[in-house]
Amino acid sequence: MTGTDDRRGSHTRNDISGGVYFNTVVQGANVTLQLPATIPAALTGMPAPSPAFTGREPEEDALLTALGPDPSSTAARQVIAGLPGVGKTELVLQVAHRALGTTGLLPGGVLFIDLFGYDERRRVGPHRALGSLLRALAVPDECVPEDVEGRATLYRSVLATYAAEGRRILLVLDNAMDSAQVRPLLPGDPGLPVLITSRHTLSDLGARVLDLSVLGQQAAVELIGRNLRSVVGPADTRVAGEPAAAAELAALCGRLPLALSIVSALLADIPTRPLSSMATALNDARRRLGRLSREDLAVRAAFDLSYRHLRPDQAGLFRLLALNPGPDLATEAVARLAGTAPEDTEELLLPLARGHFVEPGPSYGRWRMHDLMRLYADELCRAEDEPHEREAATDRLYRHYLGNAHAADTHVDAGLPPAPLFPGRDAALAWLDAERHNLRAAALAAPGLGRPEALVRLQSSLLEFHSLRRYFDEFAELAGAALVAVRSSDDPVLRDTEASILNNLGTARRELRRFDDASASYREALALHEQDGDSFSAAATLTNLGLTYQQMNRPEEAADMLREALDRYPPEADPRARGMAYNNLGKALHDLRRLPEAAEAFAEDIAICRTAGDRRGEGIALNNLGMVLRDMGQYGAAVEAHEDALAAAEETGDLHSAGLALSNSGLALAMDRDERGPREAIDRLTRARDILESLGDEHMAALAQSHLGLVLIRAGQPSEAIAPLTSVVETSRRAGDPYTAAMTLTNLGTALELSGRYEDAVRAQTESVALYRQLGERHHEAKALLNLGLALRRTDDLAAAQDAFRESAAAFRETGDEQLLTQILRLHDETGRMRTRQLPGWLRRSGPRTPGP
């Protein structure tokens, strides 16, 4: 380095050879260096990328795009954040190596430095980092300033010089702990690309943040396979040979790349070890973290590095979070768990989220933990917190869940006075929706925590909510678990709840169409109620049992049980209970074709519901009344009843009842030939089917689809009805539902006949007749026989057609349907005359067709 004092120009000029041009680095002076002819080796000295990398293609492409030379269209600075072991460094290495291989993108190379931010022994501070970076940029040691500020100024000048000379460099700052460690290392030019990895979000660097999540399930399985093939060789086919075990391993590792790599290494050590053996070893949650280690790789060790930097109050809260049995926590629930104020709790949660000890949940104010991080917190909680502290925290959390669940139930159950904890029904339902999975998990975990009464109380508080939302699998699960708990308890208070739990279990099973199991549960409950002399509960159980028999297509027995239930209710009993009995009786009477009596029973229930202010129950009864009115030929009144039912369902948020009302109103509209026409009917039935399918009610969705086919027939589009009706028949057969199959086959036969497929129509109607005969459904058998006769006439088999009409007439006489009897007798006589004249089939009148129910 040489310097000259130029007095005429009043400045000093320093000429430096064998180095780099720095730009202005000292105020009042210029330093000029010659760039080296080739890129220094340090600029391409990154670690090699893993050959097993997978599952990050979208993130990789996005980051590569961000490295483009046009800073106006991309974010040149990127922070890749995520929990320990999620693969941040590997992603950056893959991107950097791809960028180096892209012609013209990074002619200056890549400058990589591991800052070891979370390792106190190896952490690289700004002073040391800047010295290393300057030396990597070919700045001689004697030119590197001693102070941080001088080094930072020189460093930025050198980077800018490389860029100005067409040697744009990518800077990779790996494993940074905080912004203070990173900020002095950032280039002065915001357009120069920088990739920063950190376990903390580092959202205050003016960089775009990519929060890296765990791998998807398929990618996690693929990573195990790729790791094994890269180490053992292509002959290792264990992942392909044990797909279920591979999927289980991926799940047990929480799809965390570090854990997956450790498992892969352990499997590679013993190429004969089955994946199922490794899965069995990891299934023990208490020992899983210990087993996820191999030499210098360990999940627990990676977590430890982050945990050491938490303040005591943050660490204490982190440990307590593992006590929640559910998948996530609201801030309010965390506050109750920790015994702190909500505003103080959020101040503790935010740094935990920035460090990826917790993650923001699906909505604002909710928090969750990765499975392995949760196991880590649980280990620490057991090791560092006293048993009485854990017990007190758990008690606070359960009091929160139990109290809020009961308060919410008072807004969902119209028979309870609403608690002031929630401002209204919508708020109560919103809380239940948000906490549904936590409440289920807390209930199921309660017996193991010595709290069986919490399970019993929660299953009771969630009954109306589960029914409204149609979560009957969860309903049955909680009731079944509660039954086991009370039967194994010595507490007489808990034992006294056995009958009511059996009744609840029966209801869940009935809604799941497990009718035999439901009947058994109800009968056990009935025996206990009668043993205790509880006439009200016995009557309520008979009401449920009667409905079960009605749904089993045993209407006579159902009607007898429901009348007995009405007789048993004490005079002072809740009138809504009697209303439900009337509603169920109306269904049985409808099945028995005693339509005026059925209408009266539904009217009784509607009146009771209106007096009690039970709008949801009113809507259900109105919908049932509409179906009776439709079968009585009062189509306009039926439409009105169904539309009132739809309004009630929408007011109360009862989506299932809304779907049923849409389905039934669509059918009634079509039969009424309402001025709104078939298009409105088809639209309603399509919406109904979609709603019921979304709720998982395959049976009622199939019924709506069947109605849709019938409306298409009535709208003169029989060929378009064939596909949906055929689909319903197949679904009903798979579900073992002969009633829906028989009804739909009748309509399908009609669609086939009107489409000119006469032989197919005869086969469909014949099968429908046979199913109705097996079910003992004489009235519907009569209708199917009528339609069979019409189809047979189309095939010129007039003798068989006349026989079908004769059998149909006999059945209509038995069921007392005078209107259809008159029509069938006319068809029978007309067919006889046709046999005499032997008119060609295309001249024969087809006569009226009767739809399925």
Side-chain angles (χ1 to χ4, degrees):
M1 174 177 174
T2 60
T4 59
D5 187 358
D6 187 346
R7 301 295 178 185
R8 291 173 296 176
S10 301
H11 67 276
T12 300
R13 179 179 177 82
N14 296 313
D15 294 313
I16 304 174
S17 61
V20 204
Y21 171 59
F22 290 157
N23 262 343
T24 304
V25 294
V26 180
Q27 188 171 355
N30 290 331
V31 179
T32 305
L33 295 175
Q34 195 73 27
L35 284 170
T38 59
I39 298 173
L43 295 187
T44 54
M46 287 185 298
S50 168
F53 183 75
T54 188
R56 300 293 194 196
E57 290 78 11
E59 294 89 347
E60 188 180 1
D61 290 343
L63 289 174
L64 191 64
T65 300
L67 299 183
D70 181 8
S72 64
S73 60
T74 60
R77 294 181 181 178
Q78 299 267 345
V79 173
I80 297 87
L83 78 164
V86 81
K88 303 178 291 294
T89 298
E90 184 58 44
L91 172 61
V92 166
L93 287 175
Q94 295 285 338
V95 171
H97 278 280
R98 273 186 65 184
L100 276 178
T102 303
T103 303
L105 184 57
L106 294 175
V110 177
L111 200 57
F112 179 96
I113 184 169
D114 188 343
L115 297 174
F116 296 103
Y118 297 88
D119 188 335
E120 294 177 355
R121 294 178 296 107
R122 295 194 291 171
R123 184 180 303 132
V124 179
H127 184 274
R128 180 178 158 200
L130 286 166
S132 297
L133 291 169
L134 285 168
R135 293 182 184 93
L137 290 166
V139 176
D141 286 349
E142 62 270 20
C143 298
V144 176
E146 283 299 319
D147 61 303
V148 171
E149 291 77 10
R151 290 185 174 196
T153 302
L154 178 60
Y155 162 74
R156 290 174 183 137
S157 297
V158 172
L159 285 177
T161 299
Y162 269 98
E165 293 295 324
R167 299 188 186 186
R168 188 167 176 264
I169 294 172
L170 166 64
L171 176 63
V172 177
L173 305 175
D174 187 39
N175 205 11
M177 189 183 81
D178 53 32
S179 298
Q181 192 181 16
V182 170
R183 196 171 282 112
L185 311 183
L186 295 176
D189 181 356
L192 291 179
V194 185
L195 296 179
I196 306 158
T197 71
S198 178
R199 300 177 184 186
H200 284 75
T201 305
L202 306 188
S203 57
D204 57 348
L205 289 175
R208 184 170 295 173
V209 177
L210 169 61
D211 208 329
L212 201 61
S213 184
V214 295
L215 292 173
Q217 177 68 10
Q218 184 176 351
V221 170
E222 177 62 19
L223 181 60
I224 298 174
R226 290 191 179 194
N227 276 327
L228 290 176
R229 290 192 297 273
S230 69
V231 176
V232 181
D236 194 313
T237 58
R238 280 178 284 180
V239 168
E242 296 182 78
E248 185 180 6
L249 274 179
L252 289 170
C253 290
R255 310 196 308 277
L256 186 71
L258 172 60
L260 294 165
S261 297
I262 293 170
V263 162
S264 302
L266 293 171
L267 287 167
D269 288 340
I270 308 176
T272 58
R273 182 175 188 177
L275 269 61
S276 56
S277 167
M278 180 64 72
T280 299
L282 294 180
N283 256 309
D284 184 349
R286 294 288 178 85
R287 302 179 67 183
R288 190 178 306 159
L289 285 180
R291 286 173 170 161
L292 285 174
S293 64
R294 183 184 179 277
E295 296 181 357
D296 60 337
L297 291 176
V299 172
R300 184 189 285 118
F303 292 171
D304 280 340
L305 287 176
S306 294
Y307 178 72
R308 293 171 191 162
H309 298 285
L310 292 176
R311 295 194 327 242
D313 53 351
Q314 295 167 354
L317 178 60
F318 169 67
R319 296 193 302 270
L320 289 181
L321 292 176
L323 297 175
N324 177 49
D328 64 358
L329 278 164
T331 301
E332 178 189 14
V334 178
R336 296 293 290 273
L337 176 69
T340 56
E343 57 272 17
D344 297 333
T345 305
E346 188 168 55
E347 289 183 7
L348 293 174
L349 282 166
L350 289 175
L352 291 179
R354 285 194 291 270
H356 291 86
F357 294 93
V358 299
E359 303 170 0
S363 59
Y364 175 73
R366 301 197 70 83
W367 313 89
R368 60 190 177 194
M369 301 175 77
H370 183 268
D371 291 348
L372 296 181
M373 187 66 81
R374 183 194 186 99
L375 290 178
Y376 177 69
D378 184 61
E379 281 188 2
L380 292 174
C381 187
R382 293 175 186 278
E384 299 186 26
D385 296 303
E386 295 295 330
H388 72 273
E389 295 173 325
R390 299 197 300 271
E391 180 69 17
T394 302
D395 190 54
R396 290 191 297 267
L397 182 65
Y398 268 87
R399 284 205 307 271
H400 168 70
Y401 283 147
L402 288 165
N404 282 33
H406 173 71
D409 184 43
T410 65
H411 290 269
V412 181
D413 187 341
L416 298 174
L421 183 61
F422 294 98
R425 191 170 187 273
D426 289 346
L429 281 171
W431 186 84
L432 288 167
D433 285 329
E435 297 293 349
R436 166 191 164 198
H437 297 297
N438 286 305
L439 294 171
R440 170 185 170 273
L444 294 175
L449 297 172
R451 303 167 184 269
E453 76 289 346
L455 166 59
V456 174
R457 288 174 58 189
L458 282 171
Q459 68 88 31
S460 177
S461 293
L462 294 172
L463 286 177
E464 290 295 326
F465 170 68
H466 280 151
S467 296
L468 178 66
R469 294 290 194 249
R470 307 218 31 102
Y471 299 142
F472 290 111
D473 283 322
E474 294 174 29
F475 190 157
E477 182 184 31
L478 292 189
L483 188 61
V484 171
V486 300
R487 284 177 170 172
S488 60
S489 174
D490 296 328
D491 186 341
V493 176
L494 283 182
R495 293 300 300 265
D496 284 345
T497 64
E498 181 179 355
S500 64
I501 293 171
L502 278 164
N503 189 63
N504 297 339
L505 181 59
T507 298
R509 288 171 165 174
R510 187 193 73 231
E511 292 289 351
L512 292 169
R513 304 190 68 76
R514 294 164 51 188
F515 297 126
D516 290 336
D517 291 340
S519 175
S521 296
Y522 285 138
R523 289 198 174 279
E524 283 190 74
L526 182 61
L528 290 173
H529 288 315
E530 288 177 337
Q531 178 181 316
D532 295 338
D534 187 345
S535 59
F536 173 82
S537 296
T541 303
L542 273 171
T543 298
N544 288 329
L545 188 57
L547 178 58
T548 304
Y549 273 65
Q550 181 268 329
Q551 292 180 336
M552 294 170 76
N553 299 311
R554 296 163 65 176
E556 289 281 6
E557 295 166 87
D560 290 343
M561 288 180 187
L562 290 161
R563 287 196 183 90
E564 182 182 353
L566 285 166
D567 290 340
R568 285 204 192 190
Y569 277 117
E572 71 279 5
D574 181 355
R576 291 190 316 136
R578 297 179 66 85
M580 283 186 271
Y582 276 118
N583 183 70
N584 295 346
L585 177 60
K587 290 183 175 184
L589 292 169
H590 188 181
D591 289 344
L592 292 168
R593 308 304 301 168
R594 292 158 62 176
L595 302 182
E597 293 177 66
E600 289 176 9
F602 290 131
E604 288 279 358
D605 185 25
I606 291 167
I608 289 170
C609 288
R610 285 175 177 166
T611 300
D614 183 0
R615 187 73 168 122
R616 181 172 176 238
E618 178 189 352
I620 292 170
L622 279 165
N623 196 41
N624 291 330
L625 175 61
M627 289 188 283
V628 173
L629 293 171
R630 183 191 71 207
D631 283 0
M632 294 173 72
Q634 300 178 31
Y635 302 122
V639 171
E640 184 178 347
H642 291 312
E643 290 184 340
D644 287 347
L646 178 60
E650 289 173 342
E651 286 175 28
T652 57
D654 187 349
L655 192 58
H656 186 261
S657 292
L660 297 180
L662 279 168
S663 177
N664 288 317
S665 66
L667 184 58
L669 273 172
M671 300 183 76
D672 188 35
R673 301 202 180 277
D674 186 278
E675 63 183 13
R676 285 168 283 189
R679 180 172 297 179
E680 172 70 14
I682 291 170
D683 176 67
R684 291 190 182 199
L685 286 161
T686 302
R687 286 162 55 202
R689 179 198 60 200
D690 293 346
I691 288 171
L692 295 166
E693 282 181 349
S694 73
L695 294 172
D697 191 342
E698 294 183 359
H699 174 70
M700 296 310 298
L703 200 61
Q705 177 101 324
S706 184
H707 288 167
L708 177 60
L710 181 58
V711 170
L712 288 168
I713 293 170
R714 297 181 69 89
Q717 304 171 49
S719 59
E720 295 182 29
I722 292 172
L725 291 173
T726 301
S727 172
V728 175
V729 171
E730 292 170 352
T731 300
S732 302
R733 284 171 176 159
R734 286 196 303 270
D737 182 2
Y739 187 87
T740 302
M743 176 199 71
T744 309
L745 279 163
T746 297
N747 296 335
L748 176 59
T750 300
L752 290 165
E753 181 201 338
L754 294 176
S755 300
R757 295 168 58 178
Y758 304 134
E759 297 293 344
D760 291 338
V762 168
R763 281 191 288 271
Q765 299 292 6
T766 301
E767 187 177 353
S768 177
V769 169
L771 285 172
Y772 276 134
R773 193 164 288 162
Q774 290 172 15
L775 293 167
E777 287 285 343
R778 193 68 169 138
H779 180 77
H780 296 311
E781 180 190 346
K783 288 184 174 183
L785 282 163
L786 186 160
N787 289 327
L788 174 59
L790 295 172
L792 285 165
R793 288 208 317 189
R794 292 287 198 176
T795 66
D796 289 332
D797 194 347
L798 299 180
Q802 198 168 20
D803 289 342
F805 290 143
R806 186 183 301 111
E807 288 186 58
S808 178
F812 280 134
R813 283 193 186 95
E814 290 178 26
T815 59
D817 195 325
E818 295 296 331
Q819 182 180 4
L820 285 175
L821 176 61
T822 301
Q823 293 179 3
I824 201 71
L825 289 173
R826 177 178 58 77
L827 286 168
H828 177 271
D829 294 343
E830 181 183 275
T831 305
R833 290 192 297 273
M834 290 167 62
R835 289 180 66 188
T836 302
R837 288 178 288 191
Q838 284 296 302
L839 292 174
W842 62 271
L843 286 176
R844 295 173 196 138
R845 294 171 55 197
S846 61
R849 287 167 187 79
T850 58

